[in-house]
Amino acid sequence: MGGDSNDAADMTPTVTLAELYKEQGFLDKAASVYKKLLVMEPDRAELKEALEAIEKRLAVSTPPAEKSETKTMLGHLNGWRKVIRERKKMLDQKGEKRRKILVIHGPNLHMLGRREPSVYGTSTLKEIDEEIKKTAEECGMSADTFQSNHEGDLIEKIYETIDGYDLLIINPAAYTHTSVAIRDALLMLDIPIIEVHLSNIYRREPFRQKSMIADVVTAQVVGFGKDGYTVAVRAAANMSRRA
Ligand code: DQA
């Protein structure tokens, strides 16, 4: 087992894999898979419960299986590993394209950190983008980010999602309140779109309380400052997993 390169550490963590290890009596490996799953989905109560149950069993310290039994179990496990390996290969081939997020930032957001910090916070866009990418990785996805001050550039970027991305997160900034053109471009997409605003636009000046895209997007995240982006990435990852 120790020398086998297809050990728990190499496999895509899934509940099925964890359950297989558990059934075969490899509780430590099952616990390690659940721990990885919890890093990706820390709020899933059933994962926490499953891990706790395994840890309780580990604490009681199950006596090691007889040698011959171990051999049989290894045989079973290797069979399952083969199935899992094939499935992983298949998911990797499909998954690359399925799990990409594009994050678009509109005008003036490149000045975050210096721009009205009392409203938009002190983090720079570079810091926010790094956090977005890190969160996406933690969720088993990847994220590209883009900022422009020009409406046409934003529209062209929106179109890039058609073949390349599964989810779009967009903060059109001031264009939120004015751009029929951005609204029309978003109407072309058939992927989930999450609208993010650092500030709570519904508690600001009347002209900001109207979003031209609110009824086109799948969901809105407003008022959480920079955290709105990571909230959106996590929600998007869950959404994509369910889909
Ligand atoms: C904003 C709100 C907009 O009204 C404003 O023009 C922005 C930022 C936000 O993230 O809170 O530039 O979209």
Side-chain angles (χ1 to χ4, degrees):
M1 275 270 269
D4 192 332
S5 67
N6 298 306
D7 218 333
D10 299 318
M11 296 200 193
T12 304
T14 62
V15 173
T16 315
L17 179 62
E19 285 303 304
L20 274 172
Y21 276 132
K22 196 174 84 183
E23 271 167 42
Q24 305 286 349
F26 296 103
L27 295 181
D28 50 343
K29 289 188 190 301
S32 133
V33 174
Y34 273 120
K35 278 179 196 160
K36 283 185 196 159
L37 287 168
L38 275 164
V39 170
M40 296 190 286
E41 296 182 87
D43 298 330
R44 274 185 64 187
E46 72 271 30
L47 297 180
K48 281 184 207 158
E49 279 162 22
L51 178 60
E52 278 166 17
I54 291 171
E55 279 175 342
K56 258 187 214 152
R57 281 175 64 186
L58 275 170
V60 180
S61 165
T62 324
E66 292 299 319
K67 272 197 176 155
S68 58
E69 257 177 58
T70 310
K71 225 173 164 187
T72 322
M73 285 204 291
L74 281 178
H76 288 313
L77 191 60
N78 282 333
W80 277 108
R81 280 180 166 165
K82 216 169 147 191
V83 175
I84 291 164
R85 238 177 1 249
E86 290 305 316
R87 186 157 165 67
K88 186 180 171 227
K89 225 192 272 166
M90 208 180 80
L91 284 174
D92 282 349
Q93 279 159 4
K94 284 209 301 185
E96 177 68 14
K97 198 171 158 267
R98 244 184 343 114
R99 300 205 202 114
K100 276 177 84 175
I101 306 176
L102 178 63
V103 182
I104 297 182
H105 308 284
N108 302 312
L109 294 176
H110 64 309
M111 296 305 284
L112 286 176
R114 291 169 64 189
R115 178 190 172 203
E116 296 180 83
S118 60
V119 180
Y120 300 117
T122 51
S123 299
T124 63
L125 188 61
K126 189 167 174 272
E127 287 162 352
I128 292 174
D129 281 347
E130 276 163 12
E131 217 171 305
I132 288 171
K133 288 182 184 189
K134 195 175 130 238
T135 308
E137 296 286 326
E138 281 167 13
C139 296
M141 305 184 84
S142 70
D144 292 332
T145 58
F146 176 80
Q147 189 277 332
S148 174
N149 296 326
H150 306 283
E151 193 174 19
D153 291 347
L154 295 169
I155 290 168
E156 271 158 29
K157 201 69 191 176
I158 287 171
Y159 281 116
E160 279 184 28
T161 61
I162 289 179
D163 287 322
Y165 294 90
D166 305 286
L167 292 140
L168 173 64
I169 294 174
I170 184 164
N171 181 351
Y175 285 132
T176 307
H177 318 297
T178 60
S179 179
V180 176
I182 288 180
R183 175 191 169 87
D184 285 348
L186 294 177
L187 279 168
M188 285 285 302
L189 308 187
D190 62 357
I191 53 172
I193 305 167
I194 304 183
E195 177 183 357
V196 172
H197 296 286
L198 296 133
S199 63
N200 181 349
I201 55 171
Y202 300 106
R203 294 188 63 186
R204 299 187 64 192
E205 304 98 310
F207 71 87
R208 289 190 207 273
Q209 292 177 19
K210 170 87 191 149
S211 162
M212 299 292 284
I213 65 168
D215 60 325
V216 171
V217 298
T218 315
Q220 282 185 323
V221 181
V222 304
F224 285 114
K226 72 178 172 65
D227 293 342
Y229 290 101
T230 46
V231 166
V233 168
R234 289 192 194 283
N238 288 342
M239 208 181 264
S240 134
R241 219 167 277 131
R242 281 196 297 271

